[in-house]
Amino acid sequence: MRSTKTSAQLFELGRTVVPDGVSSPMRAFRQVGGEPICVASAKGAKITDVDGNVYTDFLNAFGALLLGHARDEVVEAIARQAALGSVVGLTSPLEHRLAQRIVDSTPAIEQIRFVCSGTEAVMTATRIARAHTGRNLLVKFVGSYHGHSDVLLASPSDSGVKVKGVTQGIPENLNREVLLCQYNDEAQLKSLFKAHGDAIAAVIVEPYATNMGFVRPQEGFMGLIRQLCDQHGSLFIFDEVVTGFRFTFGGICTLMDIDPDLITFGKIIGGGTPIGAYAGKARFMQHVAIGSSVFQSGTFAANPLTMAAANAALDVLEQPGFYTELERKGQVLDAAIRAQFNAHNIPFLFTRFGALGGVAFRDSHRPMQSYQDVKTQHYEIYTQVHRQMLDRGFLMAPSLEEPIFISAAHSAGDLEDFAVALGESVSAALAAHRLAFPVLMPF
């Protein structure tokens, strides 16, 4: 049985100076009801906590670590640059090289700017959209998460739907400038444009909804957004903070044959360092040029350490066969999980695309389509599964509404062992719930 004594002691001390002992809320493990862990080190696919427990990592920094932890090429690049300076407040050749590589990777974009987080990237993209159109309304999808800026956390107070990131402190006028739509709901989206089309500045969407666990877009849904934006003069923003460079070398919009106006990147392109980026057609990006209509600035934007790590990471991603191998690993995990679920008679559905997947913890083999479906899941079962997986040496996201992230560092054995542990953990959790709630659990 693993011990978490040292982690618990450190968190108890940490809570006196940091709210909940963490600087980002999910790290407190509140959504899974367990004791959070303090990490001592991480390498490849493994994390070691301060109590000496070793976990195979399927959280991967919420998807930022496609290469795994402390990839040698990235570590060496950071070390070389650190000796030359970490931040100087000026541009560098590393910034221009990274910008050129990302622009070349994705035909939908012509220019790019770097910031320090996905939140900043999306915040600025929406600001550009409002400046370009002279409109205020923003359409976003229920259950998606686009960072914690005011405009992206705003929601109509009378919407009557469950949304993510509900918070006080948002000015009421911003709440009135957001329209909510259920993901994949074509009829609702058309209705919103019919009623408000001449006031909609932009639609922002995750091409694959990765903040609902994992929800795939229905065929034609992204194309409909493009069509409606064109008809009404609104901008189409693709939030690729999670999906960018995950499935191909560039934005997933290329694979989907979608041409968005603006794209946001983050996570993977930083190679494990803090990064965000917004990119798009030059006519939109020129709004942030000096003396133009939109202001954005940041001391640490495109700092040399991040640019060095990012270029080193892209060197690896660009190697022949990299994404083919990731897809193979995804197939291995897919087959292994389905085999385990069949063996244990588990009625849950596993959905995957590339090296990203998610289990729908509900008694249905129909894929989830929207946040309404997401909220029908058995969250209490996932709470038990999360704890059991930790005891078995596997780290999953401390929230049911996050995906399972595969990295290049995972071996076939890691994937097979994870599937076995997941099957056993889910089976045990289901058995406990059948015993406690025999009438309420229709499994």
Side-chain angles (χ1 to χ4, degrees):
M1 188 70 176
R2 69 189 179 100
S3 169
T4 57
K5 182 179 179 181
T6 306
S7 278
Q9 290 173 340
L10 288 173
F11 266 95
E12 193 60 34
L13 289 172
R15 287 189 186 100
T16 65
V17 289
V18 180
D20 291 328
V22 296
S23 293
S24 189
M26 267 199 251
R27 300 174 192 173
F29 281 29
R30 289 287 181 86
Q31 294 185 39
V32 287
E35 285 295 323
I37 59 175
C38 275
V39 175
S41 64
K43 179 67 175 176
K46 307 294 183 181
I47 285 178
T48 303
D49 69 17
V50 292
D51 290 280
N53 302 300
V54 179
Y55 309 91
T56 305
D57 186 12
F58 285 85
L59 169 64
N60 281 301
F62 295 92
L65 297 173
L66 191 63
L67 300 180
H69 296 276
R71 177 86 179 205
D72 289 345
E73 296 94 327
V74 176
V75 172
E76 291 164 7
I78 292 173
R80 286 195 300 270
Q81 183 56 48
L84 301 174
S86 59
V87 62
V88 292
L90 301 171
T91 192
S92 74
L94 291 170
E95 175 185 355
H96 295 151
R97 179 173 181 242
L98 183 64
Q100 188 66 61
R101 296 174 79 178
I102 296 177
V103 168
D104 289 345
S105 76
T106 307
I109 61 178
E110 296 170 346
Q111 293 185 331
I112 188 170
R113 251 199 189 182
F114 299 106
V115 286
C116 296
S117 67
T119 289
E120 293 174 76
V122 177
M123 176 181 68
T124 311
T126 57
R127 186 179 298 162
I128 290 172
R130 285 173 159 161
H132 184 82
T133 61
R135 304 170 180 177
N136 289 330
L137 287 182
L138 179 70
V139 176
K140 66 177 187 177
F141 294 90
V142 179
S144 290
Y145 176 72
H146 304 285
H148 66 269
S149 66
D150 282 3
V151 66
L152 275 309
L153 287 182
S155 63
S157 56
D158 60 351
S159 64
V161 298
K162 293 181 178 179
V163 296
K164 297 186 71 152
V166 175
T167 179
Q168 295 184 11
I170 306 294
E172 185 54 37
N173 66 300
L174 280 184
N175 288 326
R176 291 193 297 268
E177 292 172 357
V178 169
L179 300 174
L180 296 177
C181 184
Q182 290 290 342
Y183 196 78
N184 281 323
D185 192 329
E186 294 189 358
Q188 186 180 16
L189 185 63
K190 290 177 181 177
S191 177
L192 288 175
F193 267 96
K194 184 176 181 180
H196 307 282
D198 61 352
I200 294 174
V203 177
I204 184 166
V205 68
E206 292 182 277
Y208 279 69
T210 59
N211 285 282
M212 305 182 204
F214 185 59
V215 178
R216 301 181 68 150
Q218 287 185 325
E219 187 172 351
F221 187 63
M222 296 298 153
L224 175 65
I225 299 175
R226 177 72 276 175
Q227 176 187 338
L228 290 170
C229 286
D230 288 342
Q231 288 175 356
H232 295 272
S234 308
L235 268 60
F236 187 10
I237 303 173
F238 239 38
D239 183 355
E240 294 220 39
V241 168
V242 175
T243 60
F245 287 81
R246 187 170 303 282
F247 310 107
T248 187
F249 192 81
I252 196 176
C253 58
T254 304
L255 294 181
M256 300 174 77
D257 196 26
I258 295 293
D259 185 29
D261 299 307
L262 294 166
I263 302 175
T264 56
F265 293 107
K267 295 190 184 285
I268 290 170
I269 64 168
T273 60
I275 197 169
Y278 58 96
K281 307 294 187 294
R283 65 183 181 276
F284 306 126
M285 293 296 295
Q286 280 301 305
H287 282 286
V288 298
I290 297 172
S292 194
S293 58
V294 174
F295 181 77
Q296 171 265 311
S297 179
T299 298
F300 291 94
N303 71 82
L305 285 182
T306 293
M307 296 296 97
N311 276 298
L314 262 60
D315 286 344
V316 178
L317 301 182
E318 211 170 15
Q319 292 174 3
F322 178 84
Y323 288 99
T324 301
E325 177 62 13
L326 269 185
E327 169 61 23
R328 188 192 67 79
K329 291 183 178 184
Q331 292 174 358
V332 168
L333 183 64
D334 195 329
I337 288 178
R338 291 178 188 275
Q340 288 297 318
F341 280 17
N342 287 335
H344 291 281
N345 196 28
I346 294 170
F348 298 158
L349 178 67
F350 178 69
T351 303
R352 179 191 68 88
F353 183 69
L356 188 68
V359 176
F361 280 75
R362 61 186 196 140
D363 47 318
S364 173
H365 278 262
R366 183 178 66 84
M368 296 188 297
Q369 299 293 331
S370 69
Y371 200 53
Q372 289 175 322
D373 290 339
V374 171
K375 298 307 285 186
T376 66
Q377 295 179 94
H378 299 287
Y379 284 71
E380 70 282 0
I381 293 177
Y382 184 74
T383 293
Q384 293 191 39
V385 169
H386 187 269
R387 294 176 186 172
Q388 291 193 39
M389 290 296 283
L390 286 174
D391 288 338
R392 288 174 163 87
F394 296 94
L395 176 63
M396 297 175 70
S399 167
L400 178 54
E401 296 178 17
E402 291 285 335
I404 295 168
F405 292 104
I406 303 172
S407 80
H410 285 123
S411 68
D414 291 332
L415 302 172
E416 295 280 358
D417 291 345
F418 174 82
V420 170
L422 184 63
E424 293 173 348
S425 297
V426 174
S427 181
L430 283 174
H433 271 263
R434 285 194 191 99
L435 188 63
F437 307 106
V439 177
L440 299 180
M441 300 293 290
F443 300 115

